[in-house]
Amino acid sequence: MSTNASDPLAALGDLPGVADAVDSVRKAVDRVYGHRVMRRRSNEVTSEAALRGARASAALSGADWALEEVRRRTDFGSGTEARTVGAALRLTAEAGQLLSIWRQSPLRVLARLHLVAEGGVAPEESVGRPRLAGEKVDEPLIEAPLPDADEVAGRLDGLSGLVIAGSAAPALVMAAVVHGELLALRPFSSANGLVARAAERIVLIGSGLDPKSICPTEVGHAELGRTEYLKAFDGYLSGTPEGMGAWITHCGRAVELGVRESTAVCEALQRGAA
């Protein structure tokens, strides 16, 4: 991705449109963090952002439920869509508990995320570990060619190395690459999209861009629509500067739409209507 071997993500910040996207995201995040509601009620905004982010991530994985249905529902164990929504909710709750581990052991975090997503539903031997040769992947909404198990193992190690080494690249760039790479690899037997979006959330929180987790990027991805999501993802898969830039700027737009969602929550809380 870059000629800089010591920081291969850094050059991605120079791709067309990326610097503007990074600047726009930072300004949007700063604005919502400056909202007067955040002074005393940030925990409520965080909780609502988590719920809306989980709903949106589940929608991108084929379970497009109304927000109020997700809010009132208590049983997520029966039916494919219900299990998807339940997995998304569990992942959103878990993400904040894994921040301290991510920079030291991202593969351990990914394994934990898959375990949490499955909630004991998948065959035990396939949960929480990258898939082996010959194992199938249940990810019907992502139709890109599936890398073989050896390639998955090598690229996961490479991704882990990038995270552990750190980068001067903006948080948006790192989050987009983690998200895109996990979607491309689909390293687990299931729930890869949910895990990829949860990992993106972890990067944005842990980087300090969104430390209180009030900017549900998943909402933005869902609002932009699955067609645009997959089109941008095709750009990531291409590996070209134009394609990579398009994917990163798409993720930037998703963050900004997540900010807009939480700004609306802040306004509702201020009016006493949330």
Side-chain angles (χ1 to χ4, degrees):
M1 292 180 224
S2 165
T3 57
N4 185 348
S6 64
D7 191 355
L9 296 180
L12 296 181
D14 297 327
L15 293 176
V18 171
D20 288 342
V22 168
D23 184 57
S24 184
V25 164
R26 168 52 70 188
K27 289 178 179 176
V29 173
D30 286 347
R31 282 195 298 272
V32 72
Y33 269 83
H35 197 286
R36 64 172 58 188
V37 165
M38 290 295 295
R39 297 173 193 167
R40 296 185 179 181
R41 305 182 70 178
S42 63
N43 287 344
E44 294 173 68
V45 182
T46 295
S47 295
E48 189 64 20
L51 181 71
R52 296 180 184 216
R55 188 218 72 82
S57 189
L60 287 166
S61 286
D64 192 359
W65 287 15
L67 179 63
E68 293 311 312
E69 174 69 7
V70 178
R71 195 189 302 279
R72 72 166 189 81
R73 187 77 171 257
T74 58
D75 175 19
F76 297 98
S78 59
T80 300
E81 288 194 4
R83 288 195 294 271
T84 298
V85 175
L89 287 167
R90 291 192 299 273
L91 283 171
T92 302
E94 186 75 9
Q97 309 302 313
L98 299 171
L99 298 175
S100 62
I101 306 171
W102 174 253
R103 281 293 300 272
Q104 286 73 43
S105 184
L107 297 185
R108 180 180 164 196
V109 169
L110 294 175
R112 174 64 183 170
L113 289 174
H114 187 240
L115 181 67
V116 168
E118 285 303 332
V121 174
E124 185 176 346
E125 65 274 9
S126 69
V127 175
R129 63 152 173 79
R131 54 188 167 82
L132 304 177
E135 288 184 333
K136 295 182 179 180
V137 175
D138 180 15
E139 201 72 42
L141 300 178
I142 303 293
E143 299 179 352
L146 195 66
D148 64 31
D150 288 341
E151 182 178 352
V152 167
R155 287 172 64 175
L156 278 178
D157 283 344
L159 182 63
S160 176
L162 288 175
V163 172
I164 292 170
S167 173
L172 173 64
V173 171
M174 175 66 85
V177 168
V178 167
H179 183 172
E181 190 69 355
L182 292 174
L183 276 187
L185 296 178
R186 279 147 289 161
F188 301 110
S189 58
S190 58
N192 290 287
L194 295 173
V195 168
R197 290 183 289 276
E200 179 182 46
R201 172 183 284 269
I202 287 172
V203 173
L204 293 172
I205 299 170
S207 68
L209 178 65
D210 182 22
K212 294 186 178 181
S213 190
I214 64 166
C215 305
T217 307
E218 306 95 328
V219 170
H221 287 303
E223 187 170 335
L224 289 166
R226 192 178 301 153
T227 299
E228 288 301 311
Y229 184 64
L230 295 177
K231 179 181 177 182
F233 175 55
D234 282 342
Y236 180 88
L237 290 175
S238 75
T240 64
E242 294 79 12
M244 292 294 292
W247 170 249
I248 295 167
T249 56
H250 177 90
C251 291
R253 289 196 299 274
V255 176
E256 291 189 68
L257 289 171
V259 168
R260 187 176 72 178
E261 187 83 358
S262 285
T263 300
V265 170
C266 287
E267 294 295 327
L269 287 170
Q270 186 168 288
R271 295 192 306 268

